[in-house]
Each structure stands twice: as C-alpha cells, then as structure tokens.
Amino acid sequence: MPLPLSDHFIRLAYDPGISPQGGGLPGLSVLKNVVNSINMFGIIGVVGALAVSLGVWAWGHHTGGHQAEANGKKGALVSAGAALGLGAANGIVAFFSALGSQVH
C-alpha cells in the first residue's frame, strides 16, 4: 500500500538524508587554504596588537598616564581573547557540528 504524499513529506522532514561530506565540490582544497591563510593573518595581526597594547600599558604605567594604562590593559585582554578565539575556531566549530548532528 503506497503512502499518502503528506506522510512522505513528513518522513522527509524528519530525516532528509543529508550529511556534510568533503570532496563533493571542486575547489574545496583551495577554500581550505584560503580559510587557513585568513586565520594565519588574523593570528599575526593579534600578535601585533598584543605587542602594541603591552607597550601602551607599560608606557602609561611608567609615565603616570592612567588612561593609557587602562587602554593598554583592555587591548591586551582583547588581543588575548582574539588569539584564543582564532586558535580554538576549528575546535569550536567541530564541537557544535558534532553536537548538532546528535539532534534528532
């Protein structure tokens, strides 16, 4: 006995049978290289921002410039957070992707 069309759509909505797989589209390796390069540029930028922020923090501390010292501290914390995010980006995405694949 064939299923009514509405039952077929309901089953399709629960399990469309789609899962992410590599190698389906051309240029995937190029895209991975581009994203890796963007991540590396971001990490290099964060290293520069951290060096400048630490310099401003030290300069503000030794000259008595409390505003510069506070801005240097903020910059150092933001740079450290950005470095953490850039370094953990792949793991964060992999974690939530695995978590999302468990939803049924």
Side-chain angles (χ1 to χ4, degrees):
M1 178 175 176
L3 290 173
L5 188 58
S6 61
D7 287 344
H8 181 68
F9 282 126
I10 290 172
R11 286 189 183 189
L12 185 62
Y14 285 119
D15 185 16
I18 298 172
S19 62
Q21 294 180 356
L25 292 173
L28 186 60
S29 62
V30 173
L31 183 61
K32 286 181 182 179
N33 286 336
V34 168
V35 171
N36 286 337
S37 297
I38 290 170
N39 197 4
M40 181 56 71
F41 276 114
I43 290 172
I44 291 170
V46 165
V47 169
L50 182 61
V52 169
S53 296
L54 292 175
V56 169
W57 185 358
W59 176 74
H61 177 75
H62 289 294
T63 61
H66 300 293
Q67 186 70 28
E69 184 179 359
N71 286 336
K73 287 179 186 179
K74 277 191 285 188
L77 287 176
V78 168
S79 298
L84 178 67
L86 286 168
N90 195 32
I92 292 169
V93 171
F95 171 75
F96 283 108
S97 178
L99 192 64
S101 69
Q102 296 176 4
V103 175
H104 294 286

